[in-house]
Amino acid sequence: MKKAPTDQGHGALGEQLSFIDPPPFCPSWPNRNSLADKALRMFLDGRVFDHPDFLGACGSWRLAAVVFQLRALGWPIATVEVPSPSEEHPGRTIALYKLPAKFAALALAVMSGASHG
């Protein structure tokens, strides 16, 4: 069965229950110079990226583990599944990761007032 592209972050689907107050945005910052910190800086720069992009930028193929860690720290990293068929796997999808702009803006505002780590 083919999967339709999804946005598992805080897109339109995640906000349809607006009568319920969302939890406050107060994530923890990852340790400085860790892979999670490097990925978070990429997200805060507005980048949307996949595993090969992360490998090129950070020298690590562990993006899914880093995203898991950032989510555990309270960062609402969104996953967008994109069809990427190949001859061998016509139903293949890849995951792109992003930090929704409103959360990046909130984090940048906090960063401008204090440093983390």
Side-chain angles (χ1 to χ4, degrees):
M1 175 184 282
K2 290 186 179 181
K3 292 183 179 178
T6 60
D7 184 345
Q8 298 173 355
H10 288 64
L13 294 176
E15 294 181 291
Q16 67 185 352
L17 299 175
S18 61
F19 60 90
I20 298 173
D21 290 333
F25 177 66
C26 55
S28 298
W29 294 91
N31 293 330
R32 275 196 192 276
N33 298 319
S34 65
L35 287 174
D37 183 55
K38 292 175 184 179
L40 181 58
R41 289 176 189 275
M42 292 170 68
F43 287 127
L44 293 174
D45 285 342
R47 294 185 56 187
V48 177
F49 54 97
D50 60 13
H51 286 86
D53 297 328
F54 189 66
L55 177 64
C58 299
S60 174
W61 191 258
R62 303 276 302 152
L63 179 57
V66 169
V67 167
F68 180 85
Q69 181 182 8
L70 288 171
R71 287 175 176 157
L73 291 171
W75 293 95
I77 307 300
T79 302
V80 180
E81 292 182 0
V82 179
S84 184
S86 68
E87 193 171 305
E88 298 84 23
H89 303 284
R92 181 180 83 154
T93 61
I94 61 169
L96 295 175
Y97 298 97
K98 66 179 181 176
L99 179 63
K102 68 181 180 181
F103 296 110
L106 287 169
L108 291 170
V110 169
M111 284 178 68
S112 67
S115 63
H116 75 279

